Amino acid sequence: MTSSAIPTPSGMNRLWYGGDYNPEQWPREVWDDDMRLMSRAGVTVATIGVFSWARLEPRDGEYDLAWLDDLMDLLHATGVRADLATATASPPKWLIDKHPEILPVTQDGTVLSHGGRQHYRPASAAYREHATRLVRVLAERYGDHPALEAWHVNNEYGCHVSRDYSDDAAAGFRAWLAERYGTIHALNAAWGTAFWSQLYTSFDQVDPPRVTPAGTNPTQTLDFDRYSSDELRACMRAEIAVLREVTPEIPVTTNFMGFFKGLDYWTWAGDLDFVTDDHYPDPEDPEAYVLAAMTRDLMRGLGGGRPWILMEQATSAVNWRDFNAPKPAGMHRLLSLQSVARGADGIMQFQWRQSKAGSEKFHSAMVPHAGEDSRVYRETEALGAELASLSHLRGTRSEARVAMVVDWPSWWALEQDSMPARISYVEQLLRWYRALHRRGVLVDMVPAAGDLDGYDMVVVASALALSDDAVTALAAVPARGGQLVVGYQTAVLDEHAHARLGGYLGDLQQALGVWIEELWPLRSGALAGVAAGPVSEWGEHVRVRDAEVLATFSGGDLDGLPAITRRADGDGAGWYVATAPEALGELVERVLDDAGVVWSSLPAGVEAVERGGHRFVLNHSSVPVEVEVAGRSYGVPSRDAVIDQL
């Protein structure tokens, strides 16, 4: 499937709008009322069957599909398309009783029980056999149903169990390592097993990094992160193989979870016909919309610039934080429009009707406990009508001139134990993204080894454990005329989590004109020069070869040493930032100017995004604003948006 728009076997030309629909929780008479309310709200797609395995297959090999037949027919009669889930995210109790070895095991050896969800180990042969059998039954029965729009594989892979330490996982890990390294000698070299007498003489001796008296081997842990992501992906691919065999014309997806540490989504996205995401910003966090924007840009990047679907969000409060604040009026609409502006071809919610029982009964829905005479349902209706008016944006793309590198292995390595300081990888990304977002600059998220040629500015922050090929590709950016901005804790390690000797950075030393003599974490400090002012978290003893020093540390043990440098290379330049300046925006503006990227200074809480010949000016703040973007003035009320046709 190669269309720019979300693949649609029905030829649907509207944006997706709807949510997870779980009618099996309700008496049959409620279903008819659901159809009436869906029609009123302009619902176009419903995700069904996500947690229905026990209802679909109440006993081993015995299927009860009459209720799903009825539901599919009812949706079709109402004009609502079905995003039909494979229902494999929550195995039924009979399967656990028959195969208790399916249950996952934690790092300390605890066996997790039935009674929640995701109670399966990814490497379990019994789980995969029964899961793919169910998928085949569903595909053969509903593949030709006129309501079927897409397949929804499993649900939120790894959300609760992204790492399984069972004996099945141990066997799978050994096979994965044998394929990766070929010989046990190569594994010993990659893992540095000369340290602490960890030498192995066969792959059969290797275990997952279970709880040990002291820290686990860093490379073993990093490889287990890679293996765990790949093993869950293998579960997904097994289901997709059945679906593509039986229903090759029906598009397939699974729902990602934004910046989810557990899975390397760059390796997953290529298996899907389109990318979808679940995201739940905290209404109490005044900057949650910035992380939301960065997450939307990641989804667009994972799809190679193609449109994506926001598969889950809350209409108001969630149920799983310590304090679950509701979304104030207007916030849900604004975050939905933010997604459309940043490439979404659909806005979905969890869920359609708020549950009256179970763990998520206090999680908001499109139809709340109060029913249709409620603020939430009225907003549901209004949003449906507004999204219908934006259907002409379906399939359109946005072009960015700035890229940020996102690298999951670096994330895993950076947040291991026994590091110079505890640093949040997502916060490193956010620090740079926030400065670009505040200046109305669209950013593409790209993999470390991705194609960077189309970007005038590339930011790489705390990409700690890059491969040599990725480092070489980044180092080439200044030579071709681009602006490369490198933040601290980048390319300090190689892909095996071994230190790059001789000043860290590898091939980036030449592109940046610097090397690092010593890492020097800071709790606080000051900066003199460009972006002068307070700094925090990090410092380094930077040695300059042929770069210009733009700012130095002021005071303390690093007094007078370089903190921000720039090495010109024709029209390009390599910038190195060895700390976290509070006034980062000043530096970002200078780099944007050198890159020839147009930017606008936006008030706090405001973002401006262009898509499909329209400019979205979104005001997330609680006060009205007047803002100028690219020569046009906009007055935007609080928690509101202006959509301007250019």
Side-chain angles (χ1 to χ4, degrees):
M1 310 243 177
T2 58
S3 169
S4 290
I6 301 299
T8 170
S10 64
M12 185 176 74
N13 59 5
R14 297 173 294 169
L15 298 176
W16 282 36
Y17 182 56
D20 281 48
Y21 182 37
N22 300 292
E24 63 270 29
Q25 299 177 12
W26 299 92
R28 177 61 180 82
E29 59 268 19
V30 176
W31 300 14
D32 293 324
D33 195 46
D34 286 330
M35 297 304 109
R36 175 183 67 85
L37 293 174
M38 284 186 187
S39 294
R40 273 182 53 185
V43 167
T44 61
V45 178
T47 299
I48 59 174
V50 173
F51 294 109
S52 299
W53 193 342
R55 177 74 183 270
L56 294 166
E57 190 181 6
R59 286 164 293 280
D60 190 1
E62 297 180 22
Y63 298 96
D64 176 11
L65 303 177
W67 70 275
L68 188 53
D69 293 344
D70 187 14
L71 177 60
M72 292 286 284
D73 292 344
L74 193 60
L75 290 172
H76 180 59
T78 308
V80 176
R81 308 292 298 162
D83 172 41
L84 180 55
T86 58
T88 54
S90 191
K93 186 60 164 64
W94 63 258
L95 180 54
I96 301 304
D97 290 343
K98 183 176 181 179
H99 292 285
E101 75 277 9
I102 283 177
L103 293 171
V105 178
T106 64
Q107 191 174 19
D108 66 0
T110 301
V111 179
L112 301 178
S113 299
H114 175 274
R117 63 178 186 176
Q118 289 191 355
H119 43 276
Y120 63 88
R121 58 182 69 169
S124 167
Y127 168 75
R128 289 200 202 179
E129 176 187 351
H130 284 81
T132 53
R133 185 179 72 177
L134 174 62
V135 172
R136 185 171 295 277
V137 168
L138 294 173
E140 291 177 347
R141 189 172 187 101
Y142 299 108
D144 293 327
H145 196 285
L148 184 60
E149 185 67 19
W151 289 112
H152 183 106
V153 177
N154 200 279
N155 185 72
E156 293 186 336
Y157 275 106
C159 178
H160 305 292
V161 183
S162 64
R163 302 291 182 268
D164 166 48
Y165 297 84
S166 66
D167 289 343
D168 283 337
F173 187 37
R174 292 167 192 146
W176 185 92
L177 291 168
E179 182 176 354
R180 179 175 176 85
Y181 292 110
T183 68
I184 196 66
H185 175 75
L187 179 142
N188 281 312
W191 285 16
T193 56
F195 184 80
W196 280 358
S197 189
Q198 294 174 352
L199 184 74
Y200 298 99
T201 57
S202 81
F203 286 105
D204 291 339
Q205 295 177 339
V206 179
D207 289 320
R210 294 168 173 147
V211 174
T212 64
T216 56
N217 182 305
T219 315
Q220 178 189 15
T221 302
L222 182 58
D223 272 345
F224 191 71
D225 288 330
R226 292 181 173 117
Y227 156 76
S228 297
S229 179
D230 286 353
E231 194 68 73
L232 272 168
R233 180 186 173 211
C235 288
M236 177 187 72
R237 297 183 82 186
E239 295 191 27
I240 289 175
V242 175
L243 296 172
R244 294 219 165 108
E245 173 196 340
V246 180
T247 61
E249 299 303 315
I250 304 299
V252 178
T253 192
T254 192
N255 43 342
F256 292 165
M257 294 172 287
F259 282 88
F260 176 62
K261 183 180 178 181
L263 305 178
D264 183 351
Y265 285 146
W266 292 119
T267 65
W268 284 57
D271 293 321
L272 305 173
D273 292 312
F274 59 101
V275 168
T276 70
D277 186 47
D278 299 351
H279 193 67
Y280 293 93
D282 185 351
E284 287 222 300
D285 180 358
E287 290 232 321
Y289 72 97
V290 182
L291 175 59
M294 187 168 78
T295 303
R296 319 308 194 199
D297 289 349
L298 175 63
M299 293 305 124
R300 192 180 63 252
L302 289 167
R306 294 186 300 276
W308 54 281
I309 297 288
L310 178 60
M311 187 62 77
E312 287 187 24
Q313 62 173 338
T315 56
S316 189
V318 299
N319 69 300
W320 39 264
R321 294 189 177 103
D322 291 337
F323 186 86
N324 296 300
K327 288 180 177 176
M331 180 179 285
H332 181 60
R333 167 185 175 255
L334 202 56
L335 289 167
S336 298
L337 291 178
Q338 179 195 60
S339 291
V340 175
R342 295 181 180 276
D345 266 5
I347 301 297
M348 305 285 281
Q349 282 70 215
F350 181 85
Q351 58 180 322
W352 165 251
R353 184 179 286 274
Q354 191 170 7
S355 299
K356 67 176 182 179
S359 297
E360 294 179 315
K361 60 181 173 289
F362 290 115
H363 192 296
S364 60
M366 300 170 79
V367 181
H369 288 153
E372 61 189 287
D373 185 15
S374 62
R375 172 184 74 90
V376 168
Y377 182 73
R378 285 190 289 272
E379 289 187 358
T380 292
E381 275 192 286
L383 181 57
E386 186 166 18
L387 292 175
S389 73
L390 297 174
S391 289
H392 58 281
L393 293 178
R394 183 180 175 276
T396 60
R397 297 191 183 208
S398 300
E399 299 297 327
R401 295 177 60 191
V402 176
M404 285 186 62
V405 169
V406 177
D407 185 62
W408 262 267
S410 290
W411 187 352
W412 296 329
L414 184 73
E415 296 185 3
Q416 286 188 3
D417 293 333
S418 303
M419 297 294 291
R422 293 196 177 276
I423 291 178
S424 163
Y425 181 64
V426 171
E427 182 52 43
Q428 304 311 306
L429 298 177
L430 262 176
R431 181 176 287 120
W432 288 95
Y433 185 87
R434 191 181 292 115
L436 292 161
H437 179 274
R438 186 74 177 267
R439 285 148 185 84
V441 176
L442 186 67
V443 180
D444 279 353
M445 302 293 157
V446 298
D451 183 3
L452 303 176
D453 286 348
Y455 299 103
D456 298 305
M457 177 178 172
V458 177
V459 178
V460 52
S462 298
L464 181 74
L466 296 176
S467 69
D468 290 343
D469 288 345
V471 171
T472 300
L474 289 167
V477 171
R480 63 152 173 84
Q483 305 296 315
L484 175 68
V485 183
V486 176
Y488 53 87
Q489 286 291 76
T490 293
V492 171
L493 308 179
D494 65 14
E495 63 184 307
H496 300 301
H498 294 196
R500 282 193 162 89
L501 303 181
Y504 306 127
L505 296 173
D507 285 352
L508 285 172
Q509 286 190 16
Q510 181 175 351
L512 300 173
V514 301
W515 60 282
I516 302 165
E517 179 174 333
E518 191 172 4
L519 305 176
W520 205 292
L522 293 175
R523 297 192 185 278
S524 63
L527 203 65
V530 66
V535 297
S536 62
E537 187 175 73
W538 197 262
E540 291 171 350
H541 183 171
V542 176
R543 298 284 295 273
V544 172
R545 285 183 174 151
D546 58 349
E548 175 189 3
V549 177
L550 302 179
T552 59
F553 292 103
S554 180
D557 295 317
L558 298 177
D559 185 48
L561 292 177
I564 301 175
T565 62
R566 177 183 183 273
R567 180 185 181 274
D569 190 345
D571 292 333
W575 308 67
Y576 188 65
V577 183
T579 189
E582 187 174 295
L584 186 62
E586 178 185 338
L587 175 64
V588 165
E589 289 173 4
R590 179 168 173 178
V591 181
L592 288 169
D593 288 341
D594 284 3
V597 176
V598 176
W599 56 273
S600 300
S601 184
L602 302 176
V606 176
E607 60 183 316
V609 192
E610 294 181 15
R611 181 188 180 191
H614 292 69
R615 177 177 294 131
F616 291 70
V617 184
L618 310 169
N619 179 13
H620 299 271
S621 75
S622 58
V623 297
V625 297
E626 296 287 335
V627 58
E628 183 172 310
V629 181
R632 296 197 187 191
S633 297
Y634 302 94
V636 192
S638 64
R639 294 200 187 96
D640 207 340
V642 171
I643 304 175
D644 183 19
Q645 185 168 356
L646 301 177

